[in-house]
Amino acid sequence: MKNIIIAWRNLWRKPWRTAITSGSIFFGVLFSSVMTSMQYGSYGDMIDNVVKFYSGYAQVFTEEYYDNKSINNSFELTDSVIGIAENNPVITDYAPRLEYFTLASNEENTKGSIIIGIDPHAESKITNPGKWVERGEYLSESDDGVMVAIDLADFLQVDVGDTLTLLSQGYHGVTAAGKYPVRAIIKFPNPQLNKQFIYMGIKNAQEFFGAPNMVTSLVMMVEDHYDLPRAMRLLQKEVKPPFMVMSWAELQPELVQMIEGDRAGGTFMKGILYMIITFGIFGTILMMISERRRELGVMIAIGMQRNRLGAILFFETLFMGLIGVFAGVFASIPFTYYLYRNPIPVTGEVGEMFVQMGLEPQFTFSMHPEVYYFQAITVFIITLFIALFPIYKSYTIKLTRALRA
Amino acid sequence: MNVIEIKDLVKIYNSSEVKVKAVNGITIDFEEGEFTAVVGPSGSGKTTFLNMLGGLDRPTSGSVKIGGTNVWELSSRKLIDFRMNNIGFVFQSYNLIPVLTAGENVEFIMHLQGKPKKEREKRTKELLESVGIGDRIKSRPAKLSGGQQQRVAVARALASKPEFILADEPTANLDSKATSGLLELMSEMNRKHNTTFIFATHDQRVMDKARRIVTIEDGKILKDERFER
């Protein structure tokens, strides 16, 4: 206890120096937390965008469908399949889909497209295609019409109220053909999707492809992407061959790569920040030991064991680090909270780029606990590491030299 | 009765190519209750001698026995404990722990010895009163004069009830009033409690009080004189 009291008092011998060193840690933690908060916020936005745009957080499909996206590899939506999602406490929503290739035509124009058969109500809780409706109305529950992506509609020269002719190969080779009224024209931020997508009610799609009660995937959502690992653990226990389950990260590896690439850049920046902090603390410790060499010598001379002296110096270093870390974390919580509530708007070309990616044109911030505790733990470990130096010095200090210092 | 027995003590410093014999075969005994001044010109080897005597600097050869224990045969850890329990140190620059009060500085060594709190507090109060600064028990060193700090240092040196006290130029930083007060105090401790004091000094006032003066020159004892005072 006495060691800790001495260490604490030693810290305030030169209050300015302690304040400056702790201040450097404070700002390091603050900047690092804000930077991490923005990174996590952006990643969250990107993931949300991908997930809520198309893939959902996880999908169940057959192993054959994963290798070959054919209607013939669809599966029957039985109660046991639905139970996979229903019985998982982390899954908040799920929706079946039946997707396959089709030829869409109107008068003289024909184009290869993708039919996405959806349950309009269930899908609205997942990807909410209704929000992309440019003209017309979102599909109703038993709608026999379709929603056509805008560029495809332009090519085929169809609009709301017109009829679209679809022709494809159905389940196990049956001919799939039909005429469908256009209920809505949809416009995605992504131009590629605008050239391909046709939404129709899942019952309608099953009838069209001659695949009653068949689906190609069951798409699932969780509350937050931080809940996904738990959901996946439970899903992987439940899903048995011939089915398989994949997360958005497995379905969209390019996005994961992009995030990882960005994260590496952030880690590099934080590495530089932490290095500055490290040298700042280390410089103070060196000076502290050098200034107090004689005092340390006296303490050993009058009977203090070197390990005890090392403990005092260790605690001093630790306290200095902890003051900075706690102050930094406590300051960064309200700061990031403000930014979390008030995202920074992005304008100009960058803003347009955000919109094209389907993102809100703003920098969003995350309040996930990891944002704070990761910084705290990192600086704490750095401090612990530096605190080993005074311990080393307490064991190697030359008594007579120290007393002459 | 001999408290300290020193035999053939040698200290050689190897500085680059030159070997310096700082202490060159000193053999001497100190008895309980002595009030001894070790004197000699600068570089004569008296501080090196005192450091080896106090278990602070390892001799090249020879032995130092304190109360029958050859201190340089002890392990580093045991040597620190031995110093704590048997030797009191008073340094030229007082060397109190600045973040502790006068009382805590005195108590600190007893804390290291593992003495109970009540005993520590009682003895600290007694010691500070005996050195004449009982009223400054809660003052930090920076708030004390040089003479007061050195009195705290003496109290600290006595706190562990050592076999003897080594004082290296204890009066060098004090004015004449503080010096005479401090010498009077140490002399009284010596007379009343039979505490053994060994000083390394240049100060004539210390020499005037000493009952034994050992003169060292070139690492050897030149004179060893005793006086009735």
Side-chain angles (χ1 to χ4, degrees):
Chain A
M1 193 61 195
K2 196 86 178 174
N3 297 351
I4 292 174
I5 292 169
I6 294 174
W8 180 254
R9 288 189 192 169
N10 276 336
L11 212 57
W12 303 109
R13 275 180 181 197
K14 300 212 172 191
W16 274 109
R17 191 164 67 195
T18 302
I20 289 167
T21 310
S22 296
S24 75
I25 300 169
F26 165 83
F27 282 112
V29 170
L30 181 68
F31 289 144
S32 179
S33 295
V34 172
M35 197 165 93
T36 310
S37 172
M38 194 169 92
Q39 272 186 311
Y40 280 34
S42 311
Y43 302 156
D45 268 8
M46 284 177 183
I47 294 165
D48 266 15
N49 180 47
V50 165
V51 160
K52 291 178 180 163
F53 202 75
Y54 176 69
S55 73
Y57 278 107
Q59 288 189 13
V60 171
F61 37 71
T62 62
E63 289 165 339
E64 288 84 0
Y65 185 75
Y66 177 66
D67 293 330
N68 175 15
K69 303 277 184 293
S70 161
I71 190 89
N72 294 336
N73 294 327
S74 57
F75 61 94
E76 192 174 359
L77 189 64
T78 59
D79 287 345
S80 68
V81 175
I82 291 172
I84 291 170
E86 279 282 347
N87 302 330
N88 189 318
V90 195
I91 301 295
T92 52
D93 295 292
Y94 61 91
R97 281 189 200 156
L98 182 65
E99 299 173 42
Y100 195 46
F101 168 82
T102 187
L103 284 174
S105 81
N106 177 42
E107 297 182 350
E108 301 299 313
N109 302 317
T110 301
K111 196 167 189 299
S113 321
I114 295 167
I115 287 180
I116 304 178
I118 57 167
D119 175 333
H121 177 68
E123 192 69 33
S124 69
K125 290 182 184 171
I126 295 188
T127 59
N128 190 19
K131 71 178 170 188
W132 307 119
V133 170
E134 179 84 353
R135 298 191 290 279
E137 284 188 0
Y138 182 58
L139 298 175
S140 60
E141 271 311 290
S142 53
D143 211 313
D144 61 352
V146 293
M147 298 194 298
V148 184
I150 192 159
D151 290 348
L152 178 63
D154 286 349
F155 179 83
L156 298 172
Q157 293 178 335
V158 291
D159 210 331
V160 177
D162 293 342
T163 300
L164 191 67
T165 304
L166 300 177
L167 178 68
S168 183
Q169 180 187 303
Y171 189 58
H172 289 307
V174 299
T175 302
K179 285 183 169 184
Y180 297 91
V182 176
R183 297 280 185 239
I185 302 298
I186 48 179
K187 186 180 180 185
F188 297 108
N190 183 332
Q192 200 54 38
L193 303 183
N194 282 330
K195 292 176 186 168
Q196 303 182 54
F197 275 18
I198 298 169
Y199 281 99
M200 68 164 63
I202 193 160
K203 294 275 178 216
N204 228 5
Q206 286 165 343
E207 201 176 300
F208 173 70
F209 288 115
N213 204 34
M214 302 296 275
V215 299
T216 48
S217 60
L218 187 66
V219 183
M220 289 167 285
M221 292 295 274
V222 290
E223 185 68 36
D224 188 278
H225 67 269
Y226 293 106
D227 297 332
L228 187 62
R230 190 171 155 233
M232 285 302 289
R233 275 198 300 277
L234 295 169
L235 285 169
Q236 270 150 356
K237 271 188 201 160
E238 289 299 314
V239 175
K240 304 269 187 288
F243 296 104
M244 65 188 294
V245 61
M246 276 191 166
S247 68
W248 68 267
E250 292 162 299
L251 293 163
Q252 310 275 344
E254 63 286 352
L255 178 66
V256 176
Q257 273 177 359
M258 201 173 97
I259 288 174
E260 288 306 322
D262 188 79
R263 204 191 293 269
T267 306
F268 181 72
M269 287 293 289
K270 278 188 267 183
I272 293 172
L273 204 60
Y274 288 138
M275 207 172 282
I276 293 168
I277 292 175
T278 305
F279 282 111
I281 307 173
F282 193 63
T284 302
I285 299 303
L286 271 182
M287 200 180 288
M288 178 183 98
I289 290 173
S290 162
E291 276 177 4
R292 281 165 41 199
R293 238 173 109 193
R294 178 156 48 173
E295 184 187 319
L296 304 180
V298 169
M299 285 171 120
I300 297 170
I302 65 170
M304 180 174 264
Q305 290 293 349
R306 288 172 187 264
N307 59 345
R308 201 159 180 177
L309 182 65
I312 290 175
L313 298 173
F314 175 82
F315 282 124
E316 273 185 61
T317 315
L318 205 63
F319 287 151
M320 211 176 322
L322 288 178
I323 291 170
V325 166
F326 281 117
V329 168
F330 284 125
S332 48
I333 289 171
F335 194 61
T336 49
Y337 179 73
Y338 174 80
L339 294 168
Y340 172 73
R341 303 290 298 180
N342 304 281
I344 299 170
V346 183
T347 53
E349 283 181 16
V350 180
E352 276 172 29
M353 197 175 80
F354 272 55
V355 173
Q356 278 180 7
M357 288 167 73
L359 298 168
E360 288 279 319
Q362 61 188 20
F363 288 122
T364 47
F365 291 78
S366 167
M367 290 282 293
H368 193 269
E370 203 179 300
V371 168
Y372 312 104
Y373 74 67
F374 181 77
Q375 321 312 321
I377 289 172
T378 307
V379 179
F380 183 70
I381 290 170
I382 289 173
T383 312
L384 275 184
F385 184 69
I386 295 170
L388 295 177
F389 179 74
I391 293 178
Y392 164 77
K393 283 306 278 186
S394 69
Y395 275 94
T396 54
I397 197 163
K398 292 263 183 207
L399 204 46
T400 45
R401 272 192 213 164
L403 290 171
R404 277 201 301 269
Chain B
M1 183 191 151
N2 287 342
V3 180
I4 306 160
E5 295 166 62
I6 295 164
K7 204 172 173 193
D8 299 329
L9 205 62
V10 174
K11 180 70 185 181
I12 300 168
Y13 289 112
N14 293 309
S15 61
S16 56
E17 288 162 16
V18 189
K19 282 187 175 178
V20 180
K21 242 182 187 176
V23 172
N24 191 3
I26 290 181
T27 298
I28 191 170
D29 296 338
F30 294 95
E31 289 172 16
E32 191 179 351
E34 279 191 0
F35 200 76
T36 306
V38 178
V39 300
S42 293
S44 59
K46 57 186 187 301
T47 297
T48 306
F49 169 67
L50 235 64
N51 283 343
M52 289 191 288
L53 174 55
L56 301 173
D57 199 3
R58 184 173 287 280
T60 309
S61 64
S63 67
V64 176
K65 280 188 182 173
I66 298 170
T69 305
N70 189 341
V71 295
W72 290 109
E73 281 178 357
L74 296 171
S75 68
S76 159
R77 212 181 154 76
K78 281 189 176 159
L79 179 59
I80 291 176
D81 279 343
F82 187 85
R83 278 201 305 262
M84 177 174 68
N85 293 316
N86 296 280
I87 309 169
F89 291 95
V90 178
F91 301 95
Q92 180 179 335
S93 324
Y94 334 128
N95 289 336
L96 299 176
I97 300 169
V99 292
L100 300 182
T101 62
E104 286 169 335
N105 262 288
V106 175
E107 197 189 329
F108 186 62
I109 198 155
M110 291 183 275
H111 178 82
L112 294 176
Q113 284 180 310
K115 298 256 167 73
K117 195 173 181 221
K118 270 196 175 169
E119 188 188 327
R120 290 195 321 247
E121 284 173 353
K122 187 169 170 267
R123 185 158 168 78
T124 299
K125 206 166 166 242
E126 283 171 4
L127 282 167
L128 284 176
E129 274 167 8
S130 71
V131 297
I133 50 165
D135 57 331
R136 307 306 303 269
I137 193 164
K138 296 224 182 280
S139 302
R140 291 224 183 155
K143 300 278 176 195
L144 300 174
S145 69
Q148 286 173 323
Q149 286 190 56
Q150 200 60 302
R151 280 165 186 263
V152 177
V154 171
R156 177 178 70 181
L158 291 165
S160 63
K161 297 183 182 168
E163 295 269 354
F164 64 99
I165 288 177
L166 284 181
D168 189 4
E169 306 274 9
T171 57
N173 290 345
L174 301 181
D175 59 31
S176 57
K177 194 179 165 200
T179 299
S180 60
L182 186 79
L183 283 174
E184 197 49 55
L185 167 76
M186 292 200 273
S187 166
E188 193 187 321
M189 297 271 172
N190 172 254
R191 279 196 309 271
K192 263 190 181 174
H193 306 292
N194 207 29
T195 312
T196 311
F197 280 89
I198 301 170
F199 301 89
T201 188
H202 281 110
D203 193 334
Q204 189 57 48
R205 289 165 297 187
V206 179
M207 291 183 230
D208 290 344
K209 285 267 178 195
R211 292 198 299 277
R212 185 180 178 188
I213 297 178
V214 178
T215 308
I216 295 181
E217 211 170 294
D218 298 329
K220 288 180 178 172
I221 294 177
L222 198 68
K223 279 191 280 183
D224 186 356
E225 303 159 287
R226 289 171 194 268
F227 307 92
E228 287 296 327
R229 283 178 178 147

